[in-house]
Amino acid sequence: MSDTTQKPGETSGASTVAPTGKTNVTKRGGGDPASRGRTTIADGVVEKIAGLAARDVVGVHAMGSGLSRTFGAVRDRVPGGTKSVSRGVKAEVGEVQTALDLEIVVEYGVSISDTTRAVRENVIAAVERMTGLEVVEVNIAVSDVKLPDEEEDEPESRLQ
């Protein structure tokens, strides 16, 4: 057996057998593996999460302005097109924080203040839980009220 001496704080990088008979393995790279590297989250990811969370709130009829909803309805009808869950949502994402702007249409008869409060709470909870980002603000613009006798904004299909 060779006699190797180490100075305090030095590591040999090798396994050693402790007096208890257990093997001690020296960690390499230092720190928790989860902290090695950086994670970036795209604005679109946060926008999708926020859009889905906002739509889950009772009283929210649609997201986005009338014009964006009309274009979205046309785009949704194109074969191979997908629904835009981020319509009406704009996110600014930093390294640890995010800010969101939402544009919603509420159902007639609901309390707008209660609905926007519920949207804000739901969006913040979903975004923070899924991304780990701190949501610093959620600005909500109510752009329209869906009346009970109004028809949907989607254009009629010419196909029968």
Side-chain angles (χ1 to χ4, degrees), residues 67-78 87 153-155:
L67 186 60
S68 72
R69 289 193 324 269
T70 301
F71 283 128
V74 171
R75 187 175 50 242
D76 293 346
R77 291 180 183 264
V78 173
R87 182 183 311 136
D153 291 339
E154 296 183 11

Side-chain angles (χ1 to χ4, degrees), residues 61-62 69 107 146-147 149-156:
H61 174 73
R69 289 193 324 269
E107 298 281 348
K146 168 68 170 81
L147 300 175
D149 58 346
E150 280 183 333
E151 292 184 21
E152 291 297 316
D153 291 339
E154 296 183 11
E156 290 186 29

Side-chain angles (χ1 to χ4, degrees), residues 83-147:
K83 282 199 166 209
S84 175
V85 295
S86 60
R87 182 183 311 136
V89 182
K90 176 69 178 128
E92 292 181 28
V93 180
E95 289 188 26
V96 295
Q97 296 179 325
T98 187
L100 295 153
D101 294 322
L102 281 69
E103 189 171 0
I104 67 172
V105 176
V106 297
E107 298 281 348
Y108 176 79
V110 300
S111 166
I112 293 175
S113 62
D114 290 346
T115 302
T116 56
R117 183 179 308 111
V119 167
R120 197 170 276 114
E121 289 172 356
N122 208 33
V123 166
I124 290 171
V127 170
E128 288 185 346
R129 177 180 51 84
M130 292 182 70
T131 66
L133 295 168
E134 176 191 3
V135 179
V136 293
E137 66 181 3
V138 177
N139 299 310
I140 302 173
V142 179
S143 62
D144 201 359
V145 174
K146 168 68 170 81
L147 300 175

